[in-house]
Amino acid sequence: MEQGPVTAAVVAAELELTEAAVRRHLDALIADGEAEVRAPARSARPRGRGRPAREYLLTDTGRVRFGHGYDDLATQALRFLAETAGEEAVDAFARHRVRELLGSDLDAVTAPAEPAERVEALARVLSARGYAAQARHGGFGVQLCQHHCPVAHVATEFPELCEAETRAFAELLGTHVQRLATIARGDAACTTHVPLEDPELLARARGKKQGRSVTVSGRPTAQVRQVQEEGGSADGGTLSHHGPRKGGSPYDDHS
């Protein structure tokens, strides 16, 4: 990095190794995409016989080994934005970032008719962007799991990035979603629950199957309203959904 482009002979002299040994190491770096070869620059001085020695230099991938400050720079930029333009500007940037992230693949996500197919399409797009995403089916919905987050360190201080992403998922998939876990909060993966059924309809169906009246989200069903109008009471118990337990699915029924 300090002397490149450099020949194998120069590296060998610096490290006190044979040129053959150095070339083996350089070939390994090239195979991993961390170094590359280029033709030597033309010189006005006459050179000896034989082909000119090849010169080696690091690629961007190779330079990453020495670290970078991208996360720090992004965090400083968002802090400055919040201080000078307000939290609304940070939120606007977060929404813009999601649009740019999905880009021309928006149509590929929204084209399928079924929500489950849209989740799978979204997972493919996110994986192509480096998020290692997958759709896991189970129960009454699908969980969109992102096993990598390139901006996790920045999102730890600015959760607006995660919130904007969640809202964008809901809009693209055409249904309510709930973020259950994020890498930025220390979880193993970013997990988003995507329901495939209407929870109110599911609760009613379960109530009819068990021969009892059901109340969902505090709103009585038609059967309950009829009994109330007649001055009686519904046979059996009632089932209310009061929202998600901490860390649970938004569709866990509990009374």
Side-chain angles (χ1 to χ4, degrees), residues 180-246:
L180 303 179
T182 64
I183 295 174
R185 289 201 306 249
D187 299 304
C190 297
T191 306
T192 306
H193 178 77
V194 183
L196 299 182
E197 300 286 352
D198 186 327
E200 185 167 328
L201 295 179
L202 289 174
R204 291 182 183 181
R206 283 194 293 268
K208 290 181 180 179
K209 184 176 181 180
Q210 298 171 5
R212 63 181 182 178
S213 302
V214 179
T215 301
V216 181
S217 302
R219 297 191 300 274
T221 63
Q223 178 185 359
V224 175
R225 285 196 299 269
Q226 180 180 357
V227 173
Q228 290 173 340
E229 292 171 358
E230 293 174 355
S233 61
D235 294 332
T238 61
L239 179 66
S240 298
H241 180 74
H242 300 294
R245 291 188 295 269
K246 186 175 181 180

Side-chain angles (χ1 to χ4, degrees), residues 36-110:
E36 61 184 357
V37 183
R38 78 176 190 184
R42 291 185 177 181
S43 174
R45 293 178 299 175
R47 60 178 179 84
R49 296 180 179 179
R51 291 182 297 179
R54 297 191 299 176
E55 293 182 336
Y56 300 85
L57 67 160
L58 290 179
T59 62
D60 289 339
T61 302
R63 292 190 184 95
V64 168
R65 281 180 172 266
F66 296 89
H68 56 70
Y70 298 153
D71 287 348
D72 290 340
L73 178 62
T75 302
Q76 291 174 16
L78 287 176
R79 286 175 188 163
F80 179 80
L81 186 64
E83 293 171 359
T84 57
E87 296 297 332
E88 297 80 3
V90 175
D91 188 62
F93 168 78
R95 294 195 304 270
H96 174 75
R97 175 188 167 273
V98 175
R99 290 194 298 269
E100 291 293 313
L101 173 68
L102 299 175
S104 59
D105 291 312
L106 285 172
D107 292 340
V109 176
T110 57

Side-chain angles (χ1 to χ4, degrees), residues 10-191:
V10 172
V11 177
E14 180 74 19
L15 302 180
E16 298 182 354
L17 297 172
T18 65
E19 289 190 37
V22 166
R23 288 195 177 92
R24 285 197 296 271
H25 286 292
L26 290 171
D27 288 342
L29 289 173
I30 292 172
D32 291 339
E34 297 184 348
E36 61 184 357
V37 183
R38 78 176 190 184
R42 291 185 177 181
S43 174
R45 293 178 299 175
R47 60 178 179 84
R49 296 180 179 179
R51 291 182 297 179
R54 297 191 299 176
E55 293 182 336
Y56 300 85
L57 67 160
L58 290 179
T59 62
D60 289 339
T61 302
R63 292 190 184 95
V64 168
R65 281 180 172 266
F66 296 89
H68 56 70
Y70 298 153
D71 287 348
D72 290 340
L73 178 62
T75 302
Q76 291 174 16
L78 287 176
R79 286 175 188 163
F80 179 80
L81 186 64
E83 293 171 359
T84 57
E87 296 297 332
E88 297 80 3
V90 175
D91 188 62
F93 168 78
R95 294 195 304 270
H96 174 75
R97 175 188 167 273
V98 175
R99 290 194 298 269
E100 291 293 313
L101 173 68
L102 299 175
S104 59
D105 291 312
L106 285 172
D107 292 340
V109 176
T110 57
E114 297 298 325
E117 296 176 355
R118 290 198 288 270
V119 176
E120 293 174 355
L122 178 57
R124 289 192 294 270
V125 172
L126 290 173
S127 290
R129 301 291 192 273
Y131 284 78
Q134 62 180 171
R136 294 179 176 176
H137 296 256
F140 299 111
V142 180
Q143 286 194 348
L144 177 65
C145 301
Q146 298 158 250
H147 299 283
H148 178 64
C149 177
V151 297
H153 293 162
V154 181
T156 299
E157 182 171 343
F158 293 94
E160 292 92 340
L161 298 176
C162 300
E163 295 164 4
E165 188 177 88
T166 304
R167 289 194 298 268
F169 288 172
E171 294 173 1
L172 286 172
L173 300 175
T175 183
H176 166 75
V177 304
Q178 184 183 28
R179 184 61 64 87
L180 303 179
T182 64
I183 295 174
R185 289 201 306 249
D187 299 304
C190 297
T191 306

